[in-house]
Amino acid sequence: MAHGAKHVYTVGNEGREVFWNAPYELILFAFTAVAMAIFAYGLYRRWQLWKAIGKPEDRTDNAGARIQSLISNGLFQIKTFRDVYPGIMHALIFFGFFVLIFGAAIDATQFHIGLPFFHGSFYLWFSLIMEIFGLAVLLGVVIAVYRRYIEKPDRLGYMGTPDNTADDAIVLTLIGSIIVTGFLIEALRLYVNVNVDGFTWGMWSFVGYALSKTLTGIGYDTARVLHKWMWWIHTFIVLGFIAYIPWSRLLHIITSPANQYMMSLKPKGYLEPIGDFETAESFGVGQLEDFTWKQIFDSEACTRCGRCQDGCPAYLSGKPLSPKKVIQDLKTYWLERAPVVLAAQKAAPEGEEPQIPEPEKLMVGEVIDLHELWACTNCMYCIEHCPVCIEHVPKIVGMRQYKVLMEADFAPELQLTYRNMENNSNPWGIGAHLRQDWAPELGVKTLAEDANVEYLFYVGCSGSFDDRGKKVAVALAKILKEAGVSFGVLGAEEGCCGDSAMRGGNEYLYQILAQTNIEVMSGYGVKKIICMCPHGYNALKKDYPHFGGNYEVYHHTEILADLIAQGRITFKKSVEGLFTYHDSCFLGRYNDVYDQPRNALKAIPGLNLVEMDRSYAKSFCCGAGGARMWMEEDIGERINDMRTDQAIAVNAGTIAVGCPFCLTMMADGIKDREKEESMDALDIAEIVWNAMGIEEAAEEAPSGEAPPAEETSEAEAPKEEPSE
Amino acid sequence: MSKGVWIVAEQRDGALRKVSFELASAARKLADELGDEVGAVLLGAGVEGLAPELGKYGVDKVYVADDAVFAQYTTDAYAAAVAKVVKENDPAILLLAASVLGKDLSSRLVGKLATGMASDCVELKIEGGKLIAKRPMYAGKTFGEVSVSGSPQMAQLRPNVFPANENAKAGEVVKFDAGVSAADIKAKVAEVQQDTSGKVDLTEAEIIVSGGRGMKGPENYNIIEELADVLGATVGASRAAVDAGWRPQSDQVGQTGKVVSPNLYIACGISGAIQHLAGMSSSKYIVAVNKDPDAPIFAKADYGIVDDLFKIVPELTTAAKKIM
Amino acid sequence: MNIVACVKQVPDTEALIKVKPDGSGIEEGGIKWVMNPYDEFGVEEALKLKEKLGGEVTVVSVGPARTMETIRTALAMGAEKGIHIDDPALYNADAYTTANALAAAIKEIPYDIIFCGQRAIDGDMGQVGSILAELLDIPQCTIVTKLDVGDGKATAVKPIEGAQLVLETSLPCVITAQKGLNEPRYASLPGIMKAKKKPVDVKNAAALGISVEPKAKIEKMTPPPARPPGKIIEGEDPAAKAAEVIRLLREEAKVI
């Protein structure tokens, strides 16, 4: 029997009897036990599946940071709010449910143990709060239904087709009916309580109270019977909900926070290096078993919210890749495979290898189409915005590694790029000995000539070989000289950073390139490095430490912002026109360098900076990352053209960038859109150097750039500058 | 003692090819220096009448094997015949054309005669009575001066390099029995597919005329095609033109398209971004037509015209027609 | 099927080629050595043939110790074994002597078809394949862009000026590979690792019992004449400018 003897509720001692009119404690317990058993069994079964496939990986270290992630991503829903509208929708349901469950717990405690304060003003406020949050959940469900079934945003689907499942409808119906039946019980109770028992404080439960006012005409005994029925309906829905959790998308109530807790604490964009080329038998991810358990578990946390898809440059430009689809396809495949593997493991005699049947479908090529696999620009939008901390990019790179390293089956143009990187340490295959020739007239010393400098200027392939990139390298070198920064270069000893190889799945080549560079850099005792390409910057900063290359690495926009702040760069000229800054993925999302490039631009007199629709963490990729720079883009629209359109939309005259890949892509986009007359793409170093006003008409572009104005004269430089 | 400067004349379909006269003139010059005679080997079916033409370019004796077995070039028949007549007459120097068939034949002869040969020569001289042949190596990045210690001293001459000078000599026909029958031919010509399109694949093309963004539309490529037809060239395109759908993907030259290394690359309306240059910068000669004087392609071009390509390209066609 | 692919190690196409001051050869320092691209077409065709008809591929190469890398590259692509003819007397040997060494090595093993590149991009001689065929007394199909092997014969397509010859030959024969024959594969990583353990026979001239007496000799190497800087053809008249370019192409560049 209920604890807490019968109370007399009056004004001043407001309250109510929990389980009023529903004296079914034992039956309820029995049903609850059944529901909990179904829940527990479901979870146990899932747990077994989670354990069935996947390589080991430790995701429980550093509990402090993990709890922090759980609080900010889970409890406070930080990332869901980055998208306000669906963020509010989810928050209404999430916080509403959270409070309601808390309330139910208070109810239960009151019923079983008795709460000395469960009356009077506590009770009134408690009732009001429950009412508000109940309404919040209902509102959330209404918005969710509206979004999913009427508004149908693209991200709740794939390529224009909604991916709604019966499960979605069931879950929304369950949640909605829990609240509705809850309110109805309340209305029926209040109808009796207020009118018969004189609970004048009934209006604190304002929803139920308002509903109860519509019941006039029903006899009080009928109301009591109806209340009992409704109570049972409500109870069964709630128990059904609990039992349904492990078997439905509701599982994310468990898996999402778990995934948030187990989020990667590695630097953003981290890729685990392959350790043993000599002894390993397989490389990369060719089948599910090659993923870690956590990589598979990611798909269990996915709720198909589609935030990843919403900013994916590949998806938005009409390519088949959607990060959401990849995760979901892997989940479907895993759900086919895991029971088979589990059964085989159970059938295997103790101490023997289980006989696992071959999968019917190839994971890489059939489950995940190769066009999807190779469309990824590694822009990291998906990871950055996934509210449940799913890591999409490492999976894609892992599968690319399998195609490249194991099967050597990948785009011929990328093969060419890799051969070029192997033979001449640059993607274009220009003679490696020409690397030092980007600006012989500047007299920048190599470390071989003078290693006693503060910074190594790691020029990178673009700055060394590409005529357009060379202009940026020259501008930067001039600024550094002017600002009195002590720096040197590696000249012909420099090599390709390897980023494109790594992200394109050729880890072997990448490690060779990285180790070659590290050997040279460490040989000179390099401590600080300035990179003008965010790809090199990211690789040197985050990936080279794996191979013993530990340096302080800066991107040139960080250095420029710093020099400006210190007053070591001053501007003599002011600039005109509207500028917009395009965030490079490898600067912004990978390294949180958002403000320094903008600060450098804003410091220039007269510079008018306008933000594009997608900027900062939501910036839209130029299309060149993840080795896409070296591949054909023959499906859908060109990503760089789309980004250019975004700049055109804000009437920018100049697209300022901090990355030579972006520079190429934006310049191409401007040409594709036939805006060469009115628009330009410039690196921040070029804009800064120009505004410093040191170089007036006298200076010419770097040698070999412009065609000779006069027909052949003695003074002309030969076609190719001989190397020193 | 080996004596005489010999050539292997090249004919096709009953007509001597121009390179045969270049060979004859070059041989004449060497023979005059050495005080020797010039001999020519002429193989074919019904080709005896061609001998006087060789005489006109300085050949003293034409060794002719006129037989149906030589109607069509085969390595086996030709090499056996030339090797036989050379062994019988022991010339000091033997010159062939660095043409497609000349390369095939001459290399096989090197094996048959167990001697040495300088391939694809651009200059010949006599030093101390020995032939010194100058030839490009490392794709023209160096030149090597080659001497041959075997006998005869063989050299292939690059077509269109040595002048064909008339210098009338007897051109006396010496018939010889090659002793070759159809049974000796192991590698037979099963079929000759006349290439009616005249189009060579981009990667194999010697001349490429390429159009880029400056072409403005697919309908304008006819001027590129006309120029290509006159030059015997293959048409290429930049990525921009392919992306715009003006040209098929198979025409694309560049980092993500085809990497080409023709003798001549004519870039029309192509600015020359590094992605394009990566695909064609190993071309031996580059011509650029672009109205933007700052286009980076001009930095790589041997000959450039800063002007509207729609004016220039048809004029190039007209001018080329006059000399081709 | 017993397939042989002859390979040569050459400087990368983009490598800086500098003639030694005495003209005796090129400076080898700093050069990136790669498999001759035409030989790579040959290796690829050999592997494709093996995959189609079964058998094994043996790579044969003449050159100094570093040549082993190139042999390993072919093994990484999928060849089964290698023969490395390493003899100082054969470094930079002329075409006949090289072919003679290859022939001696190949005579010791069974062969049904032999692939060579149509030329090597260093010496640019283009002779070895034909001489090899002659020394083995087997037919040749040179500068081949398409190949079909079956029923004991090979059918090869050889482009000539303005036409294509379809050649038919009995086996064994020598095929010299031209660009367009195929797209050489990129070696897989397990391939690279396995290649380290595949057998490679190292032999010298004495073991092969061959003469190393050269038939041809490079007396002197010279750098090419400095290429004139790019010319911009000035003028107002399009016809005149076009005519000038055509004239230069014919008379100066000699490419048309």
Side-chain angles (χ1 to χ4, degrees):
Chain A
M1 194 57 225
H3 302 268
K6 263 233 181 242
H7 280 271
V8 178
Y9 298 108
T10 57
V11 175
N13 187 32
E14 297 86 350
R16 73 174 170 91
E17 186 190 337
V18 179
F19 282 114
W20 174 83
N21 193 35
Y24 307 114
E25 202 182 342
L26 282 174
I27 309 173
L28 177 64
F29 277 3
F31 282 130
T32 307
V34 171
M36 293 304 286
I38 298 172
F39 170 82
Y41 173 71
L43 206 55
Y44 168 73
R45 191 176 155 278
R46 211 71 178 185
W47 171 263
Q48 284 196 308
L49 295 182
W50 292 335
K51 288 199 309 178
I53 307 180
K55 294 203 256 186
E57 183 179 6
D58 182 14
R59 285 296 180 104
T60 53
D61 58 325
N62 200 351
R66 297 189 177 284
I67 289 167
Q68 214 176 341
S69 159
L70 190 58
I71 290 172
S72 60
N73 292 314
L75 193 58
F76 292 129
Q77 303 271 297
I78 296 284
K79 281 189 177 174
T80 56
F81 279 124
R82 284 197 193 167
D83 249 336
V84 178
Y85 167 34
I88 286 175
M89 178 215 85
H90 189 263
L92 288 170
I93 300 176
F94 173 79
F95 289 113
F97 239 75
F98 206 84
V99 171
L100 292 183
I101 286 171
F102 207 66
I106 290 178
D107 278 346
T109 316
Q110 159 68 10
F111 178 72
H112 292 292
I113 303 166
L115 292 168
F117 49 81
F118 196 75
H119 55 85
S121 59
F122 174 85
Y123 173 77
L124 293 179
W125 285 108
F126 176 78
S127 300
L128 184 66
I129 288 168
M130 288 295 118
E131 218 63 2
I132 290 169
F133 281 91
L135 210 51
V137 174
L138 199 57
L139 183 60
V141 170
V142 169
I143 297 175
V145 169
Y146 175 75
R147 260 188 101 228
R148 185 171 288 276
Y149 299 105
I150 297 166
E151 197 181 6
K152 297 180 197 163
D154 183 71
R155 82 179 196 201
L156 293 182
Y158 175 73
M159 301 277 170
T161 310
D163 56 10
N164 298 331
T165 62
D167 184 42
D168 296 330
I170 293 169
V171 165
L172 284 173
T173 310
L174 279 176
I175 298 174
S177 35
I178 286 172
I179 303 300
V180 170
T181 54
F183 280 133
L184 285 176
I185 305 170
E186 191 177 58
L188 288 161
R189 178 179 62 77
L190 286 174
Y191 182 63
V192 177
N193 279 169
V194 172
N195 295 328
V196 178
D197 305 327
F199 283 17
T200 50
W201 54 90
M203 69 274 283
W204 283 77
S205 302
F206 63 92
V207 180
Y209 184 75
L211 284 173
S212 76
K213 288 291 169 204
T214 65
L215 296 175
T216 41
I218 300 174
Y220 296 116
D221 288 338
T222 315
R224 281 194 172 88
V225 173
L226 283 174
H227 176 269
K228 278 197 170 73
W229 278 105
M230 195 50 69
W231 186 87
W232 275 117
I233 293 171
H234 178 75
T235 301
F236 272 111
I237 296 173
V238 170
L239 294 178
F241 179 90
I242 291 170
Y244 192 49
I245 288 173
W247 313 89
S248 70
R249 62 174 299 148
L250 289 172
L251 185 61
H252 88 273
I253 295 171
I254 294 161
T255 51
S256 294
N259 217 47
Q260 287 159 344
Y261 181 81
M262 296 186 295
M263 78 175 286
S264 169
L265 299 176
K266 298 274 169 49
K268 285 186 183 182
Y270 176 88
L271 295 176
E272 186 70 32
I274 293 176
D276 51 347
F277 287 115
E278 297 293 333
T279 54
E281 287 190 352
S282 100
F283 307 95
V285 177
Q287 41 192 341
L288 271 177
E289 284 80 354
D290 297 328
F291 280 126
T292 69
W293 65 268
K294 170 61 177 62
Q295 287 180 302
I296 295 171
F297 188 80
D298 268 358
S299 66
E300 285 279 80
C302 176
T303 63
R304 295 186 285 120
C305 76
R307 280 174 173 78
C308 50
Q309 186 175 298
D310 236 11
C312 172
Y315 179 80
L316 294 178
S317 62
K319 292 161 189 69
L321 173 68
S322 153
K324 178 180 77 172
K325 182 173 175 294
V326 167
I327 299 300
Q328 284 298 319
D329 287 347
L330 287 176
K331 177 172 177 171
T332 308
Y333 183 58
W334 169 74
L335 281 173
E336 285 166 20
R337 277 298 282 166
V340 177
V341 173
L342 186 62
Q345 286 170 345
K346 282 187 174 162
E350 193 72 25
E352 275 182 39
E353 280 292 303
Q355 299 292 313
I356 298 167
E358 285 294 308
E360 282 167 30
K361 265 186 286 182
L362 279 178
M363 185 172 77
V364 187
E366 286 180 335
V367 177
I368 304 299
D369 184 81
L370 296 181
H371 290 104
E372 296 177 61
L373 187 61
W374 289 104
C376 176
T377 66
N378 279 217
C379 81
M380 238 198 19
Y381 184 97
C382 48
I383 298 185
E384 178 74 21
H385 294 286
C386 178
V388 299
C389 306
I390 292 171
E391 296 146 44
H392 315 68
V393 176
K395 293 185 193 41
I396 287 174
V397 174
M399 289 187 273
R400 286 182 175 184
Q401 284 173 346
Y402 179 79
K403 290 307 284 181
V404 172
L405 299 177
M406 291 301 291
E407 298 193 337
D409 173 23
F410 56 106
E413 65 266 24
L414 199 55
Q415 295 189 18
L416 174 75
T417 303
Y418 290 159
R419 278 165 195 263
N420 289 339
M421 286 160 78
E422 281 164 26
N423 294 339
N424 285 294
S425 202
N426 69 80
W428 299 285
I430 299 166
H433 58 283
L434 299 171
R435 188 178 271 273
Q436 59 195 340
D437 296 354
W438 53 277
E441 74 282 2
L442 286 183
V444 176
K445 283 195 175 146
T446 60
L447 296 195
E449 290 163 329
D450 179 10
N452 191 22
V453 290
E454 186 181 1
Y455 291 99
L456 164 67
F457 173 23
Y458 176 82
V459 187
C461 298
S462 201
S464 301
F465 294 107
D466 179 9
D467 287 337
R468 186 65 192 86
K470 284 180 193 173
K471 290 184 181 172
V472 180
V474 167
L476 181 58
K478 285 178 177 170
I479 297 170
L480 294 176
K481 281 188 147 191
E482 197 60 33
V485 175
S486 149
F487 72 101
V489 295
L490 290 173
E493 286 187 276
E494 187 183 282
C496 173
C497 69
D499 167 78
S500 289
M502 172 172 56
R503 303 213 160 257
N506 199 340
E507 175 84 6
Y508 183 64
L509 172 59
Y510 157 67
Q511 290 197 14
I512 291 172
L513 293 168
Q515 279 159 358
T516 310
N517 275 328
I518 290 167
E519 213 167 284
V520 173
M521 289 173 186
S522 297
Y524 287 114
V526 168
K527 296 206 170 48
K528 295 181 181 179
I529 301 175
I530 302 172
C531 295
M532 64 164 260
C533 174
H535 295 264
Y537 167 65
N538 188 66
L540 267 62
K541 184 172 165 181
K542 292 193 192 152
D543 301 312
Y544 278 25
H546 293 309
F547 314 109
N550 293 294
Y551 317 106
E552 268 178 59
V553 187
Y554 301 94
H555 184 253
H556 71 271
T557 55
E558 295 178 284
I559 298 287
L560 292 182
D562 202 37
L563 291 173
I564 292 168
Q566 289 175 26
R568 288 165 72 183
I569 292 176
T570 51
F571 299 107
K572 296 205 188 81
K573 273 167 66 179
S574 74
V575 299
E576 285 173 8
L578 206 50
F579 286 65
T580 191
Y581 174 65
H582 161 77
D583 287 278
S584 151
C585 306
F586 282 76
L587 262 192
R589 278 189 290 269
Y590 275 77
N591 288 290
D592 290 309
V593 178
Y594 294 115
D595 295 328
Q596 296 91 324
R598 289 178 170 82
N599 291 344
L601 287 171
K602 283 178 194 159
I604 297 170
L607 193 142
N608 206 342
L609 188 65
V610 61
E611 290 293 345
M612 282 182 271
D613 209 19
R614 294 173 183 266
S615 61
Y616 289 90
K618 288 202 170 173
S619 175
F620 193 74
C621 177
C622 73
R628 290 291 323 165
M629 178 83 180
W630 317 109
M631 298 176 72
E632 260 318 315
E633 188 175 351
D634 41 22
I635 306 175
E637 202 172 345
R638 289 188 67 86
I639 294 171
N640 60 328
D641 291 346
M642 292 179 68
R643 184 54 164 169
T644 308
D645 289 340
Q646 294 165 19
I648 293 170
V650 293
N651 295 316
T654 303
I655 306 175
V657 299
C659 170
F661 283 17
C662 299
L663 185 58
T664 303
M665 291 310 232
M666 293 301 101
D668 278 1
I670 290 170
K671 281 187 200 162
D672 287 347
R673 293 297 186 240
E674 295 180 348
K675 292 278 178 187
E676 294 124 295
E677 305 296 319
S678 57
M679 282 179 90
D680 208 355
L682 293 171
D683 189 279
I684 289 175
E686 296 176 295
I687 300 168
V688 166
W689 174 247
N690 180 42
M692 285 167 77
I694 291 161
E695 208 164 69
E696 292 301 345
E699 282 281 345
E700 258 297 324
S703 76
E705 286 294 308
E710 301 286 321
E711 198 177 332
T712 62
S713 73
E714 287 296 312
E716 260 176 30
K719 209 178 149 191
E720 283 184 352
E721 292 281 344
S723 50
E724 297 274 327
Chain B
M1 179 63 192
S2 316
K3 208 162 161 47
V5 180
W6 277 32
I7 66 168
V8 176
E10 195 169 318
Q11 57 84 18
R12 197 151 150 201
D13 304 328
L16 285 166
R17 308 195 74 194
K18 183 170 145 265
V19 69
S20 299
F21 307 129
E22 295 168 11
L23 289 170
S25 299
R28 183 74 256 161
K29 212 173 142 209
L30 297 176
D32 286 349
E33 224 171 301
L34 292 164
D36 271 352
E37 281 195 339
V38 173
V41 183
L42 178 60
L43 305 176
V47 292
E48 196 183 324
L50 299 176
E53 280 189 66
L54 290 167
K56 219 160 63 177
Y57 286 88
V59 176
D60 299 297
K61 280 184 183 150
V62 184
Y63 296 82
V64 182
D66 203 327
D67 191 313
V69 79
F70 302 120
Q72 168 72 53
Y73 172 83
T74 60
T75 316
D76 296 320
Y78 273 55
V82 177
K84 182 163 185 276
V85 70
V86 165
K87 278 180 183 162
E88 284 166 5
N89 295 276
D90 193 20
I93 292 172
L94 178 62
L95 307 179
L96 291 97
S99 58
V100 180
L101 298 183
K103 284 177 185 171
D104 184 82
L105 173 61
S106 60
S107 304
R108 185 84 189 196
L109 280 171
V110 173
K112 280 201 186 298
L113 301 169
T115 182
M117 172 171 74
S119 301
D120 204 24
C121 301
V122 292
E123 216 179 291
L124 300 175
K125 60 184 174 187
I126 301 292
E127 266 181 27
K130 297 282 287 175
L131 176 69
I132 298 287
K134 190 171 178 184
R135 54 181 305 272
M137 298 173 70
Y138 298 95
K141 286 190 238 178
T142 65
F143 282 83
E145 292 188 3
V146 179
S147 70
V148 175
S149 44
S151 178
Q153 304 166 65
M154 287 180 65
Q156 281 170 2
L157 271 50
R158 180 183 282 191
N160 296 325
V161 169
F162 294 85
N165 298 325
E166 292 199 16
N167 184 353
K169 297 286 171 187
E172 176 199 339
V173 173
V174 183
K175 288 195 186 182
F176 73 99
D177 175 17
V180 178
S181 73
D184 298 321
I185 302 173
K186 287 193 252 180
K188 299 180 179 65
V189 176
E191 197 188 334
V192 181
Q193 299 172 335
Q194 290 303 329
D195 198 344
T196 45
S197 71
K199 298 278 183 291
V200 190
D201 187 74
L202 271 177
T203 53
E204 296 161 39
E206 307 249 302
I207 303 177
I208 293 170
V209 185
S210 227
R213 200 187 302 270
M215 296 306 299
K216 301 217 189 307
E219 66 282 3
N220 299 326
Y221 270 81
N222 61 338
I223 59 170
I224 297 279
E225 276 157 5
E226 281 163 22
L227 177 58
D229 278 348
V230 175
L231 295 173
T234 302
V235 174
S238 72
R239 202 217 73 214
V242 172
D243 275 356
W246 303 343
R247 299 299 295 182
Q249 165 79 50
S250 57
D251 280 9
Q252 186 176 331
V253 173
Q255 178 95 16
T256 59
K258 288 184 171 139
V259 177
V260 300
S261 47
N263 289 331
L264 172 60
Y265 189 91
I266 304 180
C268 308
I270 293 175
S271 66
I274 188 165
Q275 303 284 65
H276 190 75
L277 298 178
M280 46 62 79
S281 59
S282 60
S283 306
K284 288 212 174 71
Y285 279 86
I286 296 170
V287 173
V289 181
N290 201 307
K291 64 181 175 195
D292 174 12
D294 294 326
I297 189 79
F298 286 117
K300 307 286 174 204
D302 298 278
Y303 308 115
I305 300 180
V306 181
D307 205 334
D308 183 357
L309 71 92
F310 294 106
K311 288 184 197 152
I312 297 298
V313 175
E315 293 295 347
L316 286 172
T317 309
T318 311
K321 265 185 193 153
K322 285 182 190 153
I323 64 155
M324 298 301 282
Chain C
M1 192 160 208
N2 295 299
I3 307 164
V4 176
C6 303
V7 299
K8 183 178 189 183
Q9 191 180 46
V10 297
D12 180 75
T13 347
E14 297 298 319
L16 175 65
I17 302 296
K18 263 173 138 175
V19 176
K20 284 185 192 161
D22 64 358
S24 64
I26 60 159
E27 305 270 14
E28 294 199 351
I31 282 182
K32 171 75 187 178
W33 297 91
V34 300
M35 187 191 298
N36 175 38
Y38 294 100
D39 297 347
E40 225 175 325
F41 299 128
V43 171
E44 175 62 32
E45 201 64 18
L47 295 172
K48 281 169 78 173
L49 199 53
K50 176 190 78 176
E51 283 155 7
K52 190 177 146 204
L53 300 175
E56 60 174 28
V57 176
T58 307
V59 254
V60 189
S61 187
V62 181
R66 58 172 156 74
T67 308
M68 191 60 94
E69 292 165 30
T70 294
I71 296 173
R72 296 278 177 217
T73 303
L75 296 175
M77 287 169 75
E80 273 69 26
K81 51 193 181 189
I83 300 174
H84 180 187
I85 304 166
D86 184 355
D87 193 313
L90 292 171
Y91 302 166
N92 301 316
D94 64 290
Y96 185 89
T97 313
T98 304
N100 195 31
L102 290 171
I106 292 169
K107 272 177 191 165
E108 294 175 358
I109 58 169
Y111 57 88
D112 297 309
I113 189 163
I114 300 168
F115 289 94
C116 296
Q118 60 105 338
R119 64 187 167 91
I121 60 163
D122 54 351
D124 279 341
M125 285 293 214
Q127 303 175 24
V128 168
S130 298
I131 303 172
L132 176 62
E134 175 60 31
L135 294 176
L136 296 171
D137 195 22
I138 57 176
Q140 70 186 51
C141 299
T142 59
I143 318 191
V144 168
T145 55
K146 192 163 176 267
L147 180 70
D148 190 27
V149 177
D151 301 331
K153 62 172 192 179
T155 309
V157 173
K158 173 186 175 74
I160 59 172
E161 293 94 341
Q164 296 197 118
L165 300 180
V166 181
L167 303 173
E168 234 176 64
T169 174
S170 57
L171 298 180
C173 69
V174 168
I175 303 290
T176 78
Q178 165 70 322
K179 200 169 185 176
L181 182 60
N182 52 47
E183 283 294 333
R185 67 195 62 193
Y186 196 82
S188 73
L189 192 49
I192 294 169
M193 295 303 159
K194 272 186 228 152
K196 295 181 181 177
K197 297 182 193 98
K198 288 182 179 171
V200 179
D201 261 1
V202 183
K203 298 186 169 179
N204 60 18
L208 292 169
I210 51 164
S211 153
V212 295
E213 192 61 40
K215 303 282 186 187
K217 192 173 159 224
I218 296 165
E219 301 285 348
K220 196 171 90 179
M221 274 199 196
T222 49
R227 194 155 169 178
K231 279 183 198 166
I232 297 291
I233 315 301
E234 301 286 336
E236 286 305 313
D237 178 19
K241 288 193 279 190
E244 174 62 3
V245 165
I246 295 293
R247 184 191 70 79
L248 288 165
L249 289 175
R250 157 113 339 167
E251 291 172 15
E252 199 176 81
K254 296 181 176 150
V255 285
I256 59 172

